[in-house]
């Protein structure tokens, strides 16, 4: 197998804690040769920390000097589009952080260019690699669920508006809880159904708590600079008559500190995760099935590996450019519905 | 106070176990003078059991002989409309079982006639009298919830398709889980919001399990005669930007045997019932509040009493004819949405 | 179907609480015409209580006057043999309480005579009808257990030596905890394996607590009249290499008040009852399966019904005469082993 | 006290993690002077890691150069016999890993030679030093158990066939779960009874799961190279009428991940470990006694110390050569019984 | 044994539910011949209900017509003194409800007269007969507690001010929670210590909640008629250096609905009831001992029986006249301390 | 803000683990310049470990060379008085470990001198900074408790007599469990009430277990050198009719390993800590309120910071010299009461 040259764009936490360690673990397949950040000192510090040869503050320089095969984009949401387009134009495979872009048209263009260039563009929805989700896919494949007709997907926090970063900045993030949390479980729900495009989308967004302020559990946010939704709900229907109920929230007056659930209802069985349980009939009786020994997996490592598989033309369950475009369109339709 | 003369139409379980005992307990306000059922022997047996003077199999005869002030309608759904119209025409107050009717237009006509006749028409949504719901209303009134912007309402069973009665007969019931179970929690959710009419409604219905058959927990239903939805979900948005997520099901592959939940999310606090808990900030910290000593109440007795209060012109929280018409219209819009 | 005439021999608790009510429930198939007890007044009182026409204190008279088709034997163990032989000689089907007899030879003769006479002889091991055991059989039939190679069967009590009856009388009962409790779970274990005859049997009996006395939880027994084993353990191996571990006890210094367990270990799955759980692999992962809605069944009614099915030549899972003879031989080999 | 010179034979995990740290902790009594392994580089690496002066790959050289007083044998089972014989011949005390040997005759010869040479030969059954077992011994000594007449001993895992090492190699290990796990609890059970020799032994072994393969929880084993039993059960009776039920398994379709139990039943009380609880009568009532503050002990350190006590002629509860021979004979009788 | 003639004075709940049923159960020792109540119709109704021959509304008439051997006094507290004096003067044994009297001097006179007349005067502290307390006494006798040096006694309710009866009437009851609840556990604590007289008493009473009103859990009390303490605490020291902490409350802002605890601390062990647990050292380790099978006892029946034993000159653990006088004096000293 | 120069007197654990790290964290406000211990090598080692410039074994030398602004006294109790007096005379602010002194007069003199010198003297009761206590104070301030009228304060251990240090030495510590543990919760209780002086104090001390010996859970103490109380209980009443029940113990035969509770009962609500819960009425119902997200705080750091605030003339909730004097007087009155 040819080894690939990789570069990382973006010098924040997600590069430092997720992508760089994953690439280092996969050093039999990939060489991380450069890190690029607007702040050169940050890029260099990160490169030194992880033993990466090059550091840049201009992507043009990066492409000129290093000619990477693969680019990992870990910048704020508003930069995903331009940096992906540039990387694809440079002939690189691209592994872009979620969400794909600020709007549906950008995501569509990104997918089209990737297709046109014959390059892999993938998005980093790591939950696809969770043991629980892998088991769901096996249960579905084994027919244990029958026809799946309804999914409840939720990723909500009681008072988890981050007190750091750009999470509440509309221009840079494009949105709030839906863009940051909701897309994870929406991606899982869509993937479970085969990634269909919904025929109808109805949604709502809220910002009462974000704008009012209060006790924070992820640091203290600034209510006066709170520009995004603190929560969103939506309902999607699909041509095959299936439906999805979606809830995403940074701040909800509920009991749990956070909930990240996928409830899948099928004609023969239903599954709930996380954690995973299966509810069906077995031997003529209603059965509850638990799997107490699911492995605890490094989902970033596995997702980066899945991206590299895709680059190598191997089967892979990484989120594709096409799927990213469908998802981004749904997000946009939810926001539009909420603005009615 | 003038004592009222009451008659019951319908000789089934709901008359026997709910309405007759409630009227008997309220004998200081009301005399139950007659029971009318298509099956005269059933009417007479019930009358004998509960010491009621008259039994009929024709409503015309009932009105002629007894001239009741109040009529309680406990018949299958498809009879609610005509029997209510007849009773109102006879100048009676009417306490009708839920749901109001088979369709929105009938419910609207019933409300209009009641208004025109100056008579009370009310629907028997007893959950309004539950201690938990009364506490929710007090919390709302005390400002503990702030602005309520989202409600999740669900009434679902794992495998609770009744193996008796007309519950799966489309012509007689007008629908399945939504008509039988969903309306209860939809009424609570709407009442919590002040009974607004939604601007948008999107919904879905399912019948995989009902038509396939399987292990029943409320007797064994006949899948070949299963004509209604076994489940429905819907999403409602309101002019004030609030939203409701609704789930109703006779049969869902989930862990619990049944769930009847109302989750109310407000800007200052959130409440979950049943049972009741409140989640808010207190003394500058996030607080979970439980009420371990809520009274166990005879909700039918209290709802019948609320209906009699309405007849006497006193304040009452019984479901009004107008509210019933709004609710029935929403149900119809959900079914229409599902048939897209 | 021909209705059968039935008579009960024995006027104790087991007749009063188990067999007579079951026969009364099955009155579409069987008429209970007589009760016979050494104590005529007891027989008559019981007959009056349950509306049974005849009462006797001599079986000869019973056969002469009533000519029953079916005889239920509910007497102390030492009478099972002679009364069964007499009933078979009279051409009756016989439903005999457990254990079959005081020794293996008697049980063998009983089986041989039933065979010779073409009559049904069955033993009342009601646990075979428990929902949990029925589910075990279905799981086995569906291949969920694979090859069953080891069973742990135990029926033990912490301090449950009965303070009444003949339970501690060696001459009348033939033994103690093994004869009274152990045979129930031994029958289940053997039936699960297809009722093979073991190639080797090793066992032990104990009477420390029974003879020493102490706090009783089923009344206070008399340690000076304690003649049987208070506990027994045994190990059985079978020609197909399967094995059974058996524990039976009236009095064991353990934590639980009582335990009645069957643990079945197979190549593909293992099951534990009571209650029932299944432990296997599903979708490539280790799975624990629980069945929260098993029906609570009247096992005596169902076992009596199974006996009547056998009399009518229908398929039945009641304990046969042949099985009873195998079981009694094992019990005898355990006692012999213990006396080494 | 004279300090002893010690050498370790075997360079695997058990030397590295158990024996060497224990000897180092006991450096006031013993000097670890050498490590010998077939693989000299392994021996040297281990010696360097733990600051041990010498490393060898030939035991002859070890004895020639170092003349140790004490030898610790940590090699695979098939080497225990020859290496122990050699060490005793060299006049050393020997502390040998469990099980003693591949067969009863070897274990007997080892014990006889130790006796003849006047040297200590002991086996490393560390569970004897567990707080729970020490408490059991004190309860027994204080008469809280009375006469002990039955013990259930089990050491079973749900799916714990090691995916590394020689555990499934018949020639090197002599057996499977019984040799690796069962001997630990069998040793405790025998020691609790005073280490009697059983008069009868009946047993069974199984290999369905080991040979079929499946999900592993201790790595993935190779079913094609699985030559030993994955489980064994046995029943032992003793001249004083006591009995032992033994279960050992690498792979059992049960709920728990593993169980290591000793249930001791006596005439006055019963105890269960691990953890420890006592069930008896106190002040005329049935009492359950728990000991919430038992110390968490380094059982290897304490067992090595007990061995050194034995070498110094002090009282010690380490497993003696004679006990090892009795245990090995029982293991052999179980295997012989299983091959009937 | 001579049968005794008994009469009951007082026609309330405690007579109806406690004393009459107990006397009826003990009909081999005692004949209940009369019931006397100020309200004759009440007396007669009760007599009819329980098949008692005579009913009176004047005690003088009762004594004249029936000449009872034994009198049971079940009237409000303020009547205990005079009715007891009268009964003793009539030569009767007296079984008086708790508390003994309204003040210490009355209780002392009652005890002195009983002594002078040679008649039994006893008070109905039924908790002395509870299985848990009996076990405490056995543990103490067996030395399991060593020297008892401190007791915490509490009988408190969260919001249990009775909404009926005279419980909040100072003149009739003499006090509130201390007189009604506290005396029960104070009696147990004193009896545990051998009923010494304290050398020092310090106490406090409270009435914030009782006078303010609020949600009631035993009906709704009237805060405007609340004249007694809603709670009291006290500390008692004894010549032997032991001490008692006492808490009694009708209404306390705590989590539990009610707590009735006795915590006994001794040099060798400590016990807590209700329920009962024992905490001590056993076999050299700290042990927690639970007794899961304590009998559920009819404590009124057993206490009435104990009173009859005392009348018959047999050993009895019923609360004596002397003990009642000591207890009443302590209650008075607590109230005096609180009024400082 | 002027930076302060600080010195620590005492070289034990409390200096090493609590005070020095706290001062180091607050290095923006304070410079730790010296450590003084009777054992110079100890002082020097500690100074080296924490990078402190000076080490002394004579306080005179410390004052001469360093002229500190602030002195932290971490010596055994019997040295608190003289060292505090000396430090105040030197013009220093003093932060002294608890308890203030060996007797009330010393504590009073210390407070008077601090007042006279215009210097801060404070005692290190860190529990005042616990999140739970801060929340209690906020609840009290918000009126959620109403009038507080009774507090139960306890700090008890099952078998926690320290096996090291001077804890059982009467001359050096002045007392046992009350001086070491009880003062912590007594300080909280008094502070909750506004630090009133009690009008009456009654108490008791015990030493049964301490003098008898037994199993220790904090090492093994020497019963022959046990000179202090192992436990104390007391009851305090205040002019405003409030009361405190106090329990302190090193060794109590109870179930829990330790309990540190403050139960505060008020007219509107009651609170229990640790952990914190609030019990009151809300929306007309009895409510239990829990706060699941209280922060885990470094209470020593926060208390040292509070002391520095006091030195800087800022508001502070550190225990003042005056409060310390009141507390010490109560302790003395308890001991005097116990010696009656």
């Amino acid at each position: 197998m040819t080894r690939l040259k990789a570069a990382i764009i973006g010098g924040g936490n997600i590069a430092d804690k997720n992508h760089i360690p994953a690439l280092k673990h996969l050093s039999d397949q990939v060489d991380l040769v450069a890190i690029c950040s607007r702040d050169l000192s940050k890029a260099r510090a990160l490169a030194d920390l992880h033993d990466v040869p090059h550091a840049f503050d201009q992507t043009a320089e990066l492409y000129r000097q290093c000619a990477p095969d693969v680019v990992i984009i870990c910048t704020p949401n508003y930069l995903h589009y331009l940096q992906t387009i540039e990387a694809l134009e440079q002939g690189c495979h691209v592994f872009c952080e979620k969400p794909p872009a600020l709007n549906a048209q950008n995501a569509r263009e990104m997918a089209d260019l990737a297709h046109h260039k014959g390059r892999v563009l993938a998005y980093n929805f790591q939950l696809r690699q969770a043991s629980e989700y892998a088991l769901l896919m096996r249960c579905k494949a084994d027919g244990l669920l029958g026809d799946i007709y309804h999914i409840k997907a939720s990723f909500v926090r009681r008072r988890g508006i981050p007190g750091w970063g750009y999470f509440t900045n509309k221009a840079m993030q494009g949105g709030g809880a839906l863009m940051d949390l909701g897309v994870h479980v929406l991606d899982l729900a869509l993937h479970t159904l085969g990634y269909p495009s919904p025929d109808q989308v109805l949604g709502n967004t809220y910002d009462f708590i974000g704008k009012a302020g209060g006790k924070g559990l992820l640091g203290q946010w600034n209510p006066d600079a709170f520009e995004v939704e603190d929560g969103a709900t939506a309902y999607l229907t699909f041509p095959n008559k299936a439906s999805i109920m979606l809830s995403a929230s940074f701040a909800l007056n509920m009991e749990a500190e956070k909930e990240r659930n996928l409830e899948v209802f099928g004609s023969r069985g239903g599954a709930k995760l996380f954690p995973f349980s299966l509810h069906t009939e077995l031997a003529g009786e209603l059965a509850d099935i638990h799997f107490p020994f699911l492995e605890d997996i490094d989902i970033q490592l596995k997702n980066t590996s899945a991206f590299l598989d895709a680059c190598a033309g191997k089967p892979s369950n990484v989120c594709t450019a096409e799927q990213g475009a469908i998802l981004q369109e749904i997000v946009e339709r939810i926001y539009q519905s909420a603005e009615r």
Side-chain angles (χ1 to χ4, degrees), chain A:
Chain A
M1 192 168 106
T2 329
R3 292 169 58 82
L4 298 171
K5 258 194 295 179
I8 283 194
I9 301 177
N13 213 42
I14 191 87
D16 183 24
K17 304 297 189 205
N18 284 26
H19 289 284
I20 303 179
L23 292 167
K24 287 286 176 183
H25 262 94
L26 297 162
S27 59
D28 57 329
Q29 300 174 48
V30 66
D31 282 320
L32 176 57
V33 298
I35 296 171
C36 179
S37 165
R38 254 174 318 183
D39 177 345
L40 185 61
S41 65
K42 216 166 161 185
R44 195 168 310 282
L46 213 50
D48 289 352
L49 181 67
H50 294 285
D51 242 335
V52 177
H54 302 280
F56 302 97
D57 60 357
Q58 301 292 333
T59 53
E61 200 61 18
L62 159 68
Y63 291 113
R64 204 183 55 79
Q65 287 193 31
C66 295
D69 305 301
V70 159
V71 170
I72 323 284
I73 297 178
C74 315
T75 49
N77 300 352
Y78 76 100
L79 295 169
H80 292 182
Y81 170 68
L82 285 178
Q83 291 174 345
T84 295
I85 295 296
E86 181 187 25
L88 291 170
E89 293 287 3
Q90 293 286 340
C92 301
H93 300 302
V94 179
F95 194 31
C96 182
E97 262 304 319
K98 40 63 56 178
L102 293 190
N103 57 57
Q105 178 167 340
N106 285 356
R108 168 55 51 207
E109 286 178 30
M110 290 153 80
D112 288 349
L113 184 60
H115 180 73
H116 177 71
K117 289 287 186 181
R119 283 296 171 272
V120 171
L121 166 60
Y123 299 104
N124 186 32
F125 289 102
Q126 321 100 307
L127 285 179
R128 289 203 184 181
Q129 310 301 339
S131 286
E132 292 87 348
Y133 188 68
L135 179 53
L136 178 69
M137 290 296 93
R138 281 202 303 276
C139 287
K140 185 188 166 192
D142 290 359
L144 291 165
L145 300 169
D147 293 312
I148 296 171
Y149 59 87
H150 186 60
I151 296 181
K152 288 193 189 167
S154 72
F155 197 157
V156 294
R157 296 180 186 151
R158 181 165 182 170
R159 214 47 76 83
I161 301 174
W164 68 88
Y166 316 118
F167 293 92
T168 65
N169 180 315
K170 181 73 171 284
M172 294 176 80
Q173 290 291 100
L178 177 58
M179 284 293 245
D180 189 50
L181 305 179
V183 292
H184 277 294
V185 289
L186 178 55
D187 173 66
L188 290 191
L190 290 167
H191 190 252
T192 302
L193 293 176
Y195 242 98
S197 210
D199 47 16
Q200 294 184 85
V201 172
L202 188 54
N204 218 350
T205 59
Y206 325 97
D207 59 9
F208 284 97
I209 296 171
K211 283 196 147 60
K215 175 85 182 183
L217 294 180
L218 289 180
Q220 273 313 131
W221 78 98
N222 177 4
D224 296 329
F226 193 89
E227 305 166 348
V228 295
E229 81 277 5
D230 62 24
T233 56
Y235 190 88
L236 287 61
T237 63
F238 295 90
N240 75 340
K241 292 266 306 170
S243 48
I244 290 177
M245 269 187 181
L246 176 68
S247 302
S249 190
F250 281 144
L252 204 55
N253 285 313
M254 63 179 191
E255 183 146 23
E257 187 169 0
K258 68 174 168 183
E259 282 179 10
R260 199 184 58 195
N261 290 341
L262 199 71
E263 291 173 81
V264 177
F265 299 104
S267 58
R268 296 193 51 193
K272 185 173 194 309
L273 49 173
F274 307 84
F276 189 95
S277 61
L278 179 63
H279 310 286
T280 185
E281 290 193 21
L282 202 72
E285 296 286 350
L286 291 168
D288 291 326
I289 311 182
H290 293 87
F291 299 82
F293 303 107
L294 291 189
E295 259 176 283
D296 200 8
I297 272 181
D298 179 339
I299 58 177
Q300 181 60 67
L301 175 58
K302 217 171 159 193
N303 210 33
T304 301
S305 178
F307 165 66
L308 294 177
D309 285 348
C311 296
K314 297 187 203 163
S316 165
N317 68 342
V318 78
C319 179
T320 67
E322 189 58 32
Q323 293 170 346
I326 293 171
L327 180 138
Q328 197 71 55
E329 193 195 355
I330 294 172
V331 168
E332 189 163 309
R333 289 167 74 183
I334 293 172
Y335 281 128
Q336 286 167 351
S337 170
E339 277 160 22
R340 72 193 173 278

